[in-house]
Amino acid sequence: MTMQAEQVLNRVRLVLDNEVVEGSLVIREGHIAGMDTCSSQLPGAVDCERDYLLPGMIELHTDNMEKYFQPRPKVAWPSRQAALAHDAQMAASGITTVFDSLSIGTVEMNSMRTQALERMHDALLDMQQHGLARVDHRLHLRCEVSHPDTLATFEKMAESPLLGLVSLMDHAPGQRQFVSLEMYRTYYQGKFGFSDPEMATFIEQQKENSNRYSSEQRRAIAARCQSRGLALASHDDASLEHVVESREYGTRVAEFPTTLEAAEASHRSGMAVLMGAPNVVRGGSHSGNIAAVELVRRGVLDVLSSDYYPASMLDAVFRISHMDDGYSLPQAVATATRHPAQAVGLTDRGRLVPGLRADLLRVRLLDGHPLVQRAWCAGRQVH
């Protein structure tokens, strides 16, 4: 994990903005110092055997860290060890910048997400401040606007030096992700083991909370993000009305639109449409919403997120590049690198360009499947 003064990666297929070329790349002092379409003759150059070289991937939305803090129900794991295990998995998956999504407010009763919010945040800070992290960690606050305490908790967390992205969510029944009440019942009865009467009471409570709190807290948090210059994301937009509202709030990222109509409208309006890489790998949404590959076919999928499965991102990139009506490899790679960087204002990474950070990913295909061979974050080999 040490950073050499200079490294030369030779005989690599460089995935640039619009093409793939074979050549070499020089890493110096944490940055890309130069590239060439000819092979290097330096004796110390690393022969990469014509593997692909991509920019390190940028993850805007993942709750993967939660699994390490609570590996089993009612089991809490020590914070530093949990954060470091999550960090190592990010590096091994080729993700060199990660916006760890921590939830403010939740419909889940006695949720570990609420109980461990500050503990997870402090563990991220600890890991960064002590130089323990392999990759660059940022904070994404997922705000459940139908929860009574969301605005107050957001105000407490908003000054975090890690904060770079805020999303506004409302998982109330009958709208957005859960337009189908039957799907809602199936999901939450399976999760909580509710009886039918208990489920009916739960649904009414969630509807009441949404009607009472969502609009006010959505407006208030959006205004605070605008005043602080924080990137804002919508979540599960399903209609043109949702998209119009999101644009009024200055939203940059449209996370997981649930319908083709909302995805196309978001893309046309300049928002980066983000979909889950597991949706691509599995061939559809687990909630029964629009399939990500359909958005690829329409040319409106801008950003991929690994969501709950880190290794899915690289797999999804190559899957959509192999589709007959999919993206070219440079276009597919951009969904996990250049586009997420642009969406949140990171101008120093996400492309193979001299002068940018040497966040890099060496990938080999085996039977058509991408395998991470090496990963570098700011010039330091982290995997």
Side-chain angles (χ1 to χ4, degrees):
M1 293 184 56
T2 58
M3 184 170 65
Q4 301 175 12
E6 180 172 289
Q7 302 172 69
V8 179
L9 306 181
N10 201 22
R11 286 212 310 143
V12 286
R13 286 186 275 184
L14 304 163
V15 182
L16 307 179
D17 287 356
N18 299 304
E19 60 181 340
V20 179
V21 299
E22 187 169 335
S24 59
L25 181 142
V26 180
I27 303 170
R28 185 182 304 129
E29 296 181 350
H31 292 79
I32 300 171
M35 298 188 300
D36 203 317
T37 55
C38 298
S39 295
S40 173
Q41 302 304 312
L42 292 174
V46 177
D47 184 357
C48 294
E49 302 175 11
R50 302 190 71 244
D51 290 342
Y52 289 101
L53 192 68
L54 286 55
M57 293 189 295
I58 298 169
E59 169 62 86
L60 297 185
H61 177 120
T62 179
D63 53 15
N64 182 69
M65 187 168 67
E66 294 177 354
K67 302 172 189 175
Y68 290 96
F69 276 75
Q70 188 180 38
R72 287 188 176 181
K74 300 182 181 179
V75 174
W77 208 254
S79 296
R80 180 176 285 173
Q81 290 91 324
L84 287 172
H86 159 65
D87 172 64
Q89 187 178 14
M90 291 293 111
S93 299
I95 296 168
T96 54
T97 301
V98 53
F99 285 72
D100 291 301
S101 53
L102 304 186
S103 294
I104 295 178
T106 178
V107 300
E108 300 178 23
M109 301 173 298
N110 301 316
S111 172
M112 167 266 178
R113 287 177 162 177
T114 299
Q115 297 166 4
L117 175 62
E118 289 189 21
R119 193 161 65 90
M120 288 190 288
H121 170 266
D122 291 347
L124 287 175
L125 268 181
D126 170 78
M127 191 166 57
Q128 295 285 72
Q129 291 172 349
H130 287 88
L132 301 176
R134 296 169 183 258
V135 306
D136 187 14
H137 289 263
R138 309 292 178 99
L139 178 61
H140 171 176
L141 288 179
R142 307 172 64 209
C143 301
E144 186 69 43
V145 293
S146 61
H147 191 280
D149 301 328
T150 291
L151 180 58
T153 307
F154 173 78
E155 292 286 15
K156 289 171 57 179
M157 303 288 294
E159 299 304 322
S160 169
L162 296 176
L163 184 58
L165 180 62
V166 176
S167 58
L168 303 176
M169 308 183 299
D170 186 349
H171 287 99
Q175 61 168 306
R176 297 181 184 265
Q177 183 178 359
F178 291 106
V179 174
S180 166
L181 282 177
E182 189 58 38
M183 185 73 73
Y184 190 88
R185 289 190 189 93
T186 299
Y187 181 81
Y188 282 107
Q189 279 192 290
K191 191 166 191 173
F192 298 143
F194 287 146
S195 66
D196 287 345
E198 288 172 334
M199 189 67 216
T201 301
F202 180 76
I203 287 175
E204 289 309 308
Q205 181 64 63
Q206 299 312 313
K207 284 183 175 180
E208 181 182 336
N209 285 346
S210 180
N211 291 333
R212 183 174 180 182
Y213 299 109
S214 289
S215 294
E216 178 184 349
Q217 294 196 129
R218 187 182 295 273
R219 282 195 299 270
I221 294 172
R224 284 156 175 75
C225 288
Q226 287 185 333
S227 68
R228 291 175 167 92
L230 292 169
L232 186 67
S234 63
H235 193 83
D236 294 337
D237 282 353
S239 67
L240 291 178
E241 290 76 16
H242 290 157
V243 175
V244 169
E245 179 185 51
S246 294
R247 286 305 299 154
E248 289 175 351
Y249 292 146
T251 302
R252 299 188 202 174
V253 181
E255 289 187 343
F256 313 113
T258 63
T259 65
L260 179 60
E261 176 186 52
E264 290 185 326
S266 297
H267 181 80
R268 285 196 305 269
S269 68
M271 287 187 282
V273 175
L274 178 151
M275 293 293 280
N279 186 314
V280 174
V281 175
R282 296 179 65 254
S285 164
H286 72 274
S287 301
N289 296 316
I290 188 70
V293 292
E294 181 61 28
L295 302 192
V296 172
R297 294 187 181 103
R298 301 288 183 128
V300 297
L301 189 152
D302 302 303
V303 175
L304 280 170
S305 162
S306 70
D307 197 4
Y308 57 88
Y309 200 87
S312 68
M313 190 129 87
L314 185 63
D315 194 353
V317 164
F318 278 84
R319 281 175 185 256
I320 65 177
S321 75
H322 291 155
M323 290 170 52
D324 291 338
D325 46 2
Y327 292 171
S328 68
L329 183 58
Q331 288 175 318
V333 167
T335 65
T337 57
R338 176 160 51 97
H339 292 168
Q342 291 171 339
V344 294
L346 293 177
T347 59
D348 63 345
R349 68 196 73 187
R351 303 167 66 203
L352 298 187
V353 174
L356 297 190
R357 279 170 56 112
D359 290 353
L360 305 169
L361 179 59
R362 178 181 164 188
V363 176
R364 178 171 299 170
L365 293 187
L366 179 63
D367 299 328
H369 298 290
L371 305 177
V372 176
Q373 300 299 294
R374 297 285 186 273
W376 294 261
C377 185
R380 183 181 67 167
Q381 186 175 321
V382 294
H383 176 75

